[in-house]
Structures are given as structure tokens and as C-alpha cells.
Amino acid sequence: MAKYKSSKNNRILNLYTSLCEGKVINKSQEAKRFGVDGRSIQRDIDDIRAFLDEQRTGDSADNRTIEYDRSKKGFVMAGEEGSLMSNSEILAVSKILLASRAFTKREIGGILRKMIGGCVPLKNMQLVRELLSNERFHYVELRHKSVIQDKLWELGTGIREHNLIEITYVRGEHADETVTRLIEPVAILFSEYYFYLNAFIVERGTDRSSVHKYDYPAVFRIDRIKTFRKTGEKFRVSYADRFEEGEFRKRIQFMYAGELMKIQLKYYGENPEPVLDRLPTAQIISQKDHEYTISAEVYGKGIVMWLLSQGSRIEVIRPESLRQEMKRRAEEIVDLYN
């Protein structure tokens, strides 16, 4: 009896794996392969169906079923496992990862292998690999070539545990230009090819007390953090004063930190969607023909870089300091071409 049960279990697992791989189960062929009659194979298929029915109970998104396909003269698995990403989801996420260029070629290869192996239905793995193969082959990693995955986790742990951290940071483009900072890490963000650490710079008072150097967090490119260590001290953050990276991201451009600034600008064009998408805090104040007056809140001067990329489609109205900054930059560009 035990021998038959073991044989039956192996047979069911074999059939289940074949169905997951997208293969067709022909009763007579499988009966011959396993040395049993067709009724045994039918009972095996019924057991697999019962298992899938159990998987669909509760809130499970698993919608797999075993169906008979007359054109293929056999049983096939239809639907998708709820815990797995769909074909379009895994393809979209993989394309975004490749376009981000956030990891070294070795890192991105490992990440994609694990994603495809762990998230893609077996029957679709080869197709997904083929759709991504050309882009993976031509993937160009960033010049810094730093492996940052361990840094991300350790810094993330520091944020969660409120650890006061000392970092050595490459401030400029040259590796020998480093500064040491004592920081309170509050968030990790990704933008424009790089991962960034948001942190309040801490200065020591004469009585060894700690104070923030600025009212807003500084932004450090994580690949430029050469060393970091826990000081053994903790910092306290009240719930009301906690840093909300989602709100910060809405107001910062190109990860240039600075004070919060309210701006107003005019957009000349038929559709202000590019402005509204780029500046999540943007609101249309008024509209006249193809002229939109828009207000927004932004941190720092990174907004200048984006405004310059818009050319004559955008005019800064206020603050006056930003308007004059744009005018000065425009004059410098004209001088270059003169």
C-alpha cells in the first residue's frame, strides 16, 4: 500500500509540474508512460483540480484551472497563480529596472534571474528571457560601477532603528575629495539613475548636544558614501515630526536639497500635462487660451535644471529670486552661442 501511495504521489507531482510548464497532458500517453490505466490518470487530474480549488479559497488571486483542450487532445492549465506576477507585469518591471541603470551589469543579471525564476509561471520563463535578452546584452552600467545592494539594506536598517551614523562622503567628482558627516538617516529614494540617502546633518554643541545643521534633510548619493559606521547612539523622532519621503519626493527635482519654495509659473502650450506630471504638487490657478498659470511647492534649486529643459514653454513668475536666476542662466546660454 505504501509503495502504491508513493508512486501515485510522484505521478501527481510529475503531472502537476508538466501542467505548470504549459505542457499538454494526454491521458492515454500518460497512462502508458506510468504503466497505469486511463482512470488512474483521470483521478490524478481530479486530485490536482481539487488542490487548485483549495488554492482559490479565501482572498487568493490564484485562478488556475485544469481544462480539456479538444484541439490539443489533452488537459492544459489555464489561468495564473495568484502569488506570481503576470507576463505583462514581470516584463514591465524588468524593463523599468533595465532602463533605470541603477545596478552594475552583474547585479542586474542576478536580480532579473531571481525575478523571472521566482515570479514568472514556468511555461512563460523562456519567452520572458527572450524578450529581455537583447536589452540585457546591451545594458550599460553607470561609470561608478559600485555595488550598493548591501549598502541599501544596512542604511535602511539604520533608518528603521534610528541609528546615528557617521559617513565618509565623496563630495565632488574626485574620489580623494571626501568629507565626514554625522547624520540622522531618514529615507532612501531613487531618482535619475541613482539611489539617494536623505539625512539630517548633525552638529555637536559645546555640551556635546546634537542639533540639525539645516531645517531640511541633505541628500547623499549612496554610491558616493565610501564608509559608514554606527556611532552607538540613537536619535529620537516623534510621530508628528517624522520624515515622509512621499511628500518630500513630490517637491524635489533631481535630488537637489534646499529650503521649501512656493513658485508660480506660466506654461505656454495646449496641454500642461508634462508640468503636472513632473511637479506632483502643481495646481492650475487659471487658464486663458493656450496659457496656463500654475503654482507648486518645490525644495531647493533642482527645479532650475528642469525649467531650463522646457525652453520658452515656461516662464517663471515668482518668486522674484527664481525669476532672476532663470534670466541669468538664459543670458549665460546666449553668451555661449555668441
Side-chain angles (χ1 to χ4, degrees):
M1 185 71 179
K3 182 178 180 181
Y4 170 76
K5 185 176 181 181
S6 174
S7 175
K8 176 180 172 67
N9 289 342
N10 289 339
R11 192 172 66 239
I12 291 176
L13 286 173
N14 192 290
L15 293 173
Y16 176 73
T17 300
S18 295
L19 288 165
C20 289
E21 291 175 345
K23 295 178 181 177
V24 179
I25 300 300
N26 179 280
K27 261 199 316 188
S28 59
Q29 291 177 358
E30 297 301 325
K32 184 177 180 180
R33 181 160 73 101
F34 288 107
V36 295
D37 58 31
R39 288 174 297 177
S40 295
I41 299 299
Q42 183 62 59
R43 284 193 292 269
D44 295 340
I45 292 172
D46 291 339
D47 287 341
I48 296 173
R49 279 177 170 158
F51 168 73
L52 293 177
D53 286 341
E54 290 179 7
Q55 294 296 101
R56 288 194 296 275
T57 59
D59 297 327
S60 174
D62 193 328
N63 63 357
R64 292 176 299 167
T65 58
I66 306 301
E67 300 176 357
Y68 185 79
D69 189 321
R70 293 185 181 278
S71 64
K72 296 179 180 179
K73 298 180 180 180
F75 293 92
V76 295
M77 183 178 287
E80 301 291 345
E81 185 177 352
S83 62
L84 299 183
M85 298 173 72
S86 68
N87 299 335
S88 57
E89 287 171 341
I90 193 66
L91 190 60
V93 172
S94 299
K95 289 285 185 178
I96 291 170
L97 277 173
L98 286 163
S100 75
R101 297 176 61 199
F103 302 97
T104 64
K105 199 161 188 172
R106 181 177 179 181
E107 283 179 303
I108 196 69
I111 291 171
L112 291 178
R113 278 195 301 273
K114 291 172 185 176
M115 283 182 59
I116 295 170
C119 300
V120 177
L122 291 175
K123 61 184 178 181
N124 299 323
M125 281 188 184
Q126 187 58 35
L127 174 60
V128 173
R129 289 193 184 103
E130 289 173 0
L131 288 171
L132 297 174
S133 62
N134 186 264
E135 198 165 355
R136 280 186 61 181
F137 179 78
H138 292 287
Y139 181 80
V140 179
E141 60 188 2
L142 298 177
R143 297 297 180 92
H144 65 73
K145 300 183 186 298
S146 297
V147 176
I148 63 170
Q149 290 184 69
D150 291 340
K151 281 185 185 178
L152 289 176
W153 181 254
E154 292 179 38
L155 291 170
T157 301
I159 293 169
R160 183 71 178 84
E161 297 176 352
H162 294 169
N163 292 326
L164 194 65
I165 295 174
E166 183 182 85
I167 64 170
T168 302
Y169 186 71
V170 178
R171 186 163 51 183
E173 298 295 332
H174 304 289
D176 56 347
E177 295 180 7
T178 60
V179 293
T180 301
R181 293 281 185 264
L182 191 63
I183 60 169
E184 296 177 0
V186 292
I188 293 173
L189 299 176
F190 176 81
S191 177
E192 313 292 341
Y193 305 126
Y194 305 108
F195 285 97
Y196 295 87
L197 176 68
N198 286 46
F200 288 98
I201 298 176
V202 172
E203 291 185 328
R204 296 290 197 187
T206 54
D207 58 351
R208 297 293 295 167
S209 61
S210 299
V211 294
H212 290 172
K213 186 175 181 179
Y214 306 108
D215 293 333
Y216 51 85
V219 179
F220 300 95
R221 244 177 65 181
I222 290 180
D223 61 282
R224 289 184 176 175
I225 297 176
K226 306 307 291 183
T227 63
F228 59 93
R229 69 173 187 86
K230 294 185 290 187
T231 63
E233 300 177 63
K234 303 283 185 179
F235 62 92
R236 297 182 62 184
V237 180
S238 67
Y239 182 81
D241 296 330
R242 73 194 188 283
F243 180 80
E244 296 187 82
E245 53 263 48
E247 292 299 318
F248 183 79
R249 179 181 282 281
K250 289 180 185 178
R251 294 165 171 80
I252 192 166
Q253 300 297 314
F254 300 107
M255 289 297 151
Y256 277 77
E259 295 182 358
L260 186 63
M261 177 170 51
K262 292 185 178 181
I263 65 171
Q264 191 175 108
L265 51 86
K266 284 189 177 181
Y267 173 81
Y268 301 103
E270 295 183 359
N271 186 355
E273 189 177 273
V275 179
L276 303 179
D277 286 343
R278 186 72 200 194
L279 307 177
T281 61
Q283 292 183 332
I284 297 175
I285 299 174
S286 63
Q287 174 189 354
K288 182 181 179 182
D289 297 326
H290 299 317
E291 178 182 309
Y292 296 82
T293 301
I294 298 173
S295 67
E297 287 186 342
V298 297
Y299 278 106
K301 293 295 182 70
I303 186 65
V304 173
M305 296 175 62
W306 180 75
L307 289 171
L308 288 169
S309 73
Q310 299 304 296
S312 60
R313 290 189 300 174
I314 287 184
E315 175 190 359
V316 174
I317 305 303
R318 57 175 176 263
E320 184 61 25
S321 59
L322 180 59
R323 182 178 175 86
Q324 292 302 317
E325 172 78 0
M326 292 297 297
K327 182 178 179 180
R328 183 179 65 80
R329 294 292 188 97
E331 289 171 347
E332 288 177 351
I333 292 172
V334 171
D335 287 343
L336 283 176
Y337 287 94
N338 284 337

